[in-house]
Amino acid sequence: MLKDKIEKHLLEVQKPSRYIGGEVGSVIKDKSKVDVRFAFCFPDTYDIGMSHLGMKILYSLTNERENYWCERCFAPSEDFEAVMRENDIPLYALESLDPIKDFDFIGFTMQYELSYANVLNMLDLAGIPIFSKDRTQELTQIVIAGGPCVCNPEPLADFFDICVLGEGEEVNLELMDLYYELKKEGATRDEFLRKACQIEGVYVPKFYEFVYKDDGTIDHIETTNGAPEVIRKRIIRDLDKVYYPDNFVVPFTEIVQDRVSVEVLRGCIRGCRFCQAGFIYRPFREKHAETVCRSAKNLCKNTGYDEISLASLSTSDHSEIDPMLTKLLDYTVSEKINLSLPSLRVDNFSESLLEKIKRVRKSGLTFAAEGGTQRLRDVINKNVSEEEIMNTCRIAFEGGYSSVKLYFMMGLPTETDEDIVGIAELANRIIDLYYSIENRPKGRGVQISISCATFVPKPFTPFQFEPQDTREMIEHKQKLLLDSIKTKKIKVSYHNPDVSMLEVILAKGDRRLCKAVYAAWKKGCKFDSWDEYFHFDKWLEAFEECGIDTSFYANRRFEYDEILPWDHLDYLVSKEFLVRENKTARQSKTTPNCRLRCSGCGVNKKVGRECF
């Protein structure tokens, strides 16, 4: 029994509860009555994966089907991986403790590029061939991927049998239904894949061949086995009626987001030109306030959690935000439950909203200004004026706050030294504002925290064509920002540019990167998003050994008429719109948000209805 082998070593590792399952809310089924088994794999630790809302939704939805069983699987930390390899313990699922190599589907959710090497490590731990070409024709071990990163799955194309584009609630069950039918008929892997690729939203990488020009860009993409030339992502048309669980698995150990998470809306009306999520999750759809409140109450009742988080890209853009918060607060205050609102914008932050937030939140306020000057904020289409930033800070200071955290990005298109100095100048003006307010918090000094991320151009954004700044350019800008700060009332933090460089290579890479991802993993790369495990030197060695010029992907401007590695995937937003928005950005002009005016991104034509 695998369970005996696991239990014998649990006390040798940190956080053993990550590895044994049995949590309240986990679903156990009789294997003899199950026809299709799905291992939902998160390529990072239990603490992070268990916070992922998509896993909670798809886990519960799949398990609603009596003869399908979805189980969870996470990447083991270094200490437990060593135990597994030393004691011949294959990667297993937490509900049954069965090896996932015995499952029908091994499904990975790809949330960020720096988890790519973990996928290979997990397949290796499971004893599943890492390359899809090495798997047998037997209809089992279908390795699939979903999540935001599959909008450009090419750097992982050699490892996955299937990539699912878009929202998974409907298409995952359609895939499993097809699999079940073909399994009964004794079909082969390829027979299943040939039929699966006809389902909207299903991409089978092996049926596509890339042909490159002498200059390294893509000449054309050839399809085989009757696969469609373009694969369109799936969406849920009526978000208010889509399945949402009324129970979550409650971990024994503390996780990153240890609370009830209630989805409020999908998509975003804003059109910030750097934001991949804002484009790939279009169209904008929201749940009614009543639906959100009902879900929150059910989840608190069934899980025992005493904190609720409202999940979305921009919660304050919900059309019923005031009545929704009023109703939720009536419930949470009476039940002594905390309510957190992670996504706030400076341009719709009102005194009314602040009063509601003050009833539930004691910590500081965080806003995303992104650019230090108005010119740069217009380039990125942030649609936030300095007046709005100052007005938001004034409301916060008059409401009793004395600290504000501001997010910025560094390395944005058209950025100059003046824009970097502008970050410090903006922070100084906020300090001056604080001391000009008569009813500011007495006896307390003001504190401005500036967090500066390095810009990573991503597919399916107007900035997908843009190069990333080189390390030298970023280091110059980081030093300039630090030199521009003259007071201890401003604190600055920023990202390691090497991490952002790897991120953009993997985000904008093509299929030729697969061999480098494999080589990096063989050199020991994994958990690249963790500082203590990030070894950029090994990645550079892998790229060099595989003949990969990293600047080709990271620091080169992609031409408008160039075939991009993700051009055969349709995320509803047209390439013509992205080109138009890129040109508008270079003129420092803004585009209004979708509620004010349709900007013609193409989504409404493809879904066959107006967005609003």
Side-chain angles (χ1 to χ4, degrees):
M1 288 282 288
L2 200 52
K3 183 180 180 183
D4 295 336
K5 293 176 76 172
I6 297 166
E7 285 186 339
K8 193 163 70 175
H9 297 283
L10 280 182
L11 295 182
E12 301 169 14
V13 300
Q14 291 186 348
K15 297 188 177 182
S17 59
R18 290 169 167 173
Y19 306 114
I20 197 61
E23 308 98 315
V24 172
S26 56
V27 178
I28 305 298
K29 295 190 175 184
D30 180 350
K31 274 189 283 189
S32 67
K33 296 178 181 174
V34 171
D35 294 309
V36 182
R37 299 184 70 179
F38 192 110
F40 196 122
C41 302
F42 195 95
D44 212 311
T45 64
Y46 178 97
D47 313 39
I48 296 173
M50 280 296 290
S51 303
H52 180 233
L53 181 58
M55 172 181 269
K56 297 174 197 289
I57 294 172
L58 295 176
Y59 174 83
S60 298
L61 174 65
T62 308
N63 282 323
E64 290 275 309
R65 296 281 286 268
E66 198 172 333
N67 61 332
Y68 296 170
W69 191 7
C70 181
E71 304 185 45
R72 297 160 299 141
C73 178
F74 303 92
S77 289
E78 194 171 37
D79 57 353
F80 193 61
E81 181 184 336
V83 167
M84 293 173 73
R85 291 194 185 277
E86 286 169 12
N87 295 280
D88 197 25
I89 299 172
L91 192 65
Y92 58 89
L94 288 180
E95 278 71 11
S96 64
L97 303 183
D98 287 341
I100 65 168
K101 66 179 173 60
D102 297 334
F103 282 52
D104 300 289
F105 287 92
I106 295 92
F108 288 90
T109 179
M110 304 309 302
Q111 297 295 312
Y112 34 89
E113 290 82 0
L114 300 183
S115 66
Y116 286 4
N118 279 15
V119 172
L120 276 59
N121 201 45
M122 290 174 75
L123 289 174
D124 183 61
L125 271 170
I128 296 170
I130 289 172
F131 289 93
S132 60
K133 65 179 175 58
D134 295 332
R135 294 173 201 136
T136 68
Q137 277 301 309
E138 189 181 356
L139 191 52
T140 182
Q141 296 179 354
I142 304 294
V143 181
I144 76 172
C149 287
V150 301
C151 73
N152 177 23
E154 296 309 318
L156 294 171
D158 288 353
F159 314 118
F160 290 126
D161 297 307
I162 286 174
C163 297
V164 175
L165 314 186
E167 296 161 359
E169 283 99 335
E170 294 171 347
V171 65
N172 274 21
L173 287 177
E174 290 170 25
L175 257 183
M176 294 175 75
D177 289 343
L178 174 68
Y179 179 93
Y180 178 40
E181 288 304 314
L182 293 187
K183 186 180 176 182
K184 285 189 290 188
E185 296 173 9
T188 65
R189 176 183 299 270
D190 278 354
E191 286 170 341
F192 166 69
L193 294 177
R194 278 195 288 273
K195 292 204 172 183
C197 74
Q198 301 303 322
I199 298 174
E200 187 178 63
V202 173
Y203 172 50
V204 179
K206 68 184 282 186
F207 294 163
Y208 297 78
E209 185 178 337
F210 285 67
V211 179
Y212 299 95
K213 298 177 182 175
D214 290 340
D215 65 3
T217 58
I218 298 167
D219 186 73
H220 64 280
I221 304 169
E222 295 177 354
T223 61
T224 62
N225 288 272
E229 291 185 1
V230 175
I231 306 95
R232 179 175 291 186
K233 77 159 184 172
R234 294 291 291 267
I235 62 163
I236 299 298
R237 288 181 175 269
D238 188 346
L239 191 65
D240 202 52
K241 293 179 181 172
V242 71
Y243 173 86
Y244 200 77
D246 57 12
N247 199 6
F248 289 163
V249 178
V250 182
F252 291 127
T253 185
E254 190 175 347
I255 58 174
V256 174
Q257 294 184 11
D258 213 4
R259 61 183 78 101
V260 159
S261 187
V262 182
E263 187 177 34
V264 172
L265 55 85
R266 288 184 193 175
C268 183
I269 63 172
R270 296 291 170 173
C272 299
R273 294 176 178 132
F274 58 85
C275 179
Q276 187 183 53
F279 290 98
I280 65 171
Y281 291 124
R282 287 188 180 196
F284 181 84
R285 294 146 292 159
E286 54 186 29
K287 296 187 176 184
H288 287 303
E290 187 64 38
T291 307
V292 172
C293 295
R294 186 169 59 248
S295 291
K297 289 179 184 178
N298 285 340
L299 283 165
C300 286
K301 178 184 170 187
N302 292 330
T303 62
Y305 273 119
D306 59 1
E307 184 173 356
I308 298 170
S309 172
L310 298 184
S312 76
L313 292 176
S314 182
T315 299
S316 52
D317 279 330
H318 195 287
S319 61
E320 299 175 337
I321 183 69
D322 270 339
M324 181 165 63
L325 286 183
T326 301
K327 200 173 181 79
L328 274 173
L329 284 167
D330 289 343
Y331 167 70
T332 56
V333 170
S334 67
E335 297 293 323
K336 295 184 171 50
I337 291 171
N338 190 29
L339 176 65
S340 63
L341 302 167
S343 305
L344 298 174
R345 280 186 61 91
V346 296
D347 55 343
N348 57 9
F349 187 81
S350 63
E351 292 182 21
S352 163
L353 184 56
L354 178 68
E355 285 306 310
K356 289 181 171 61
I357 291 169
K358 282 169 65 179
R359 291 176 66 185
V360 298
R361 189 202 295 251
K362 302 293 184 292
S363 58
L365 292 171
T366 302
F367 299 102
E370 314 291 6
T373 61
Q374 191 60 50
R375 186 200 68 82
L376 194 58
R377 286 194 293 276
D378 289 346
V379 167
I380 64 176
N381 205 42
K382 189 64 185 172
N383 275 318
V384 167
S385 67
E386 178 158 331
E387 184 182 357
E388 287 166 329
I389 294 172
M390 301 304 276
N391 188 51
T392 294
C393 292
R394 181 187 58 75
I395 292 172
F397 294 151
E398 289 178 343
Y401 286 84
S402 61
S403 64
V404 172
K405 184 171 186 178
L406 296 171
Y407 283 129
F408 292 91
M409 276 189 289
M410 191 175 275
L412 287 162
T414 77
E415 187 178 76
T416 64
D417 285 358
E418 186 181 329
D419 298 309
I420 299 300
V421 174
I423 295 173
E425 292 175 344
L426 178 62
N428 279 324
R429 287 195 288 276
I430 294 173
I431 292 173
D432 293 342
L433 170 73
Y434 178 82
Y435 288 108
S436 71
I437 295 173
E438 290 187 3
N439 57 340
R440 65 180 181 270
K442 301 303 179 189
R444 279 188 280 165
V446 66
Q447 185 68 59
I448 311 297
S449 299
I450 292 173
S451 176
C452 235
T454 302
F455 168 64
V456 178
K458 292 285 184 85
F460 292 105
T461 69
F463 288 161
Q464 65 178 1
F465 310 101
E466 299 290 340
Q468 187 183 58
D469 276 2
T470 63
R471 182 193 297 143
E472 292 73 22
M473 294 164 73
I474 291 296
E475 287 174 345
H476 161 75
K477 291 176 180 179
Q478 289 174 342
K479 183 176 184 305
L480 178 61
L481 177 59
L482 290 177
D483 291 344
S484 304
I485 304 293
K486 306 297 183 187
T487 170
K488 292 183 178 178
K489 293 182 173 63
I490 303 173
K491 290 183 179 176
V492 178
S493 60
Y494 47 76
H495 288 184
N496 177 353
D498 290 343
V499 173
S500 303
M501 184 174 169
L502 178 59
E503 190 178 344
V504 74
I505 294 166
L506 296 176
K508 294 179 70 175
D510 54 45
R511 198 168 286 198
R512 290 171 292 190
L513 285 188
C514 291
K515 55 187 179 184
V517 174
Y518 180 78
W521 167 69
K522 291 294 283 182
K523 291 175 179 295
C525 291
K526 57 188 174 184
F527 289 112
D528 292 296
S529 59
W530 295 65
D531 288 347
E532 59 268 45
Y533 294 112
F534 181 64
H535 299 294
F536 195 49
D537 54 335
K538 292 183 180 177
W539 275 99
L540 290 178
E541 285 175 17
F543 288 130
E544 187 175 354
E545 288 171 12
C546 296
I548 301 291
D549 175 8
T550 55
S551 65
F552 180 81
Y553 303 100
N555 311 121
R556 179 178 68 91
R557 180 173 178 80
F558 288 19
E559 300 300 326
Y560 293 146
D561 59 357
E562 183 179 332
I563 297 175
L564 305 179
W566 50 90
D567 272 356
H568 57 310
L569 309 181
D570 180 3
Y571 272 70
L572 304 184
V573 176
S574 72
K575 189 172 181 181
E576 291 74 20
F577 168 76
L578 298 177
V579 169
R580 194 165 69 238
E581 277 292 284
N582 186 276
K583 291 177 178 176
T584 307
R586 295 203 156 267
Q587 299 167 19
S588 303
K589 291 182 179 176
T590 60
T591 298
N593 78 56
C594 300
R595 272 212 177 94
L596 290 177
R597 191 187 76 196
C598 176
S599 55
C601 72
V603 168
N604 55 359
K605 286 183 181 174
K606 288 181 178 173
V607 300
R609 65 171 175 81
E610 296 298 318
C611 297
F612 299 97

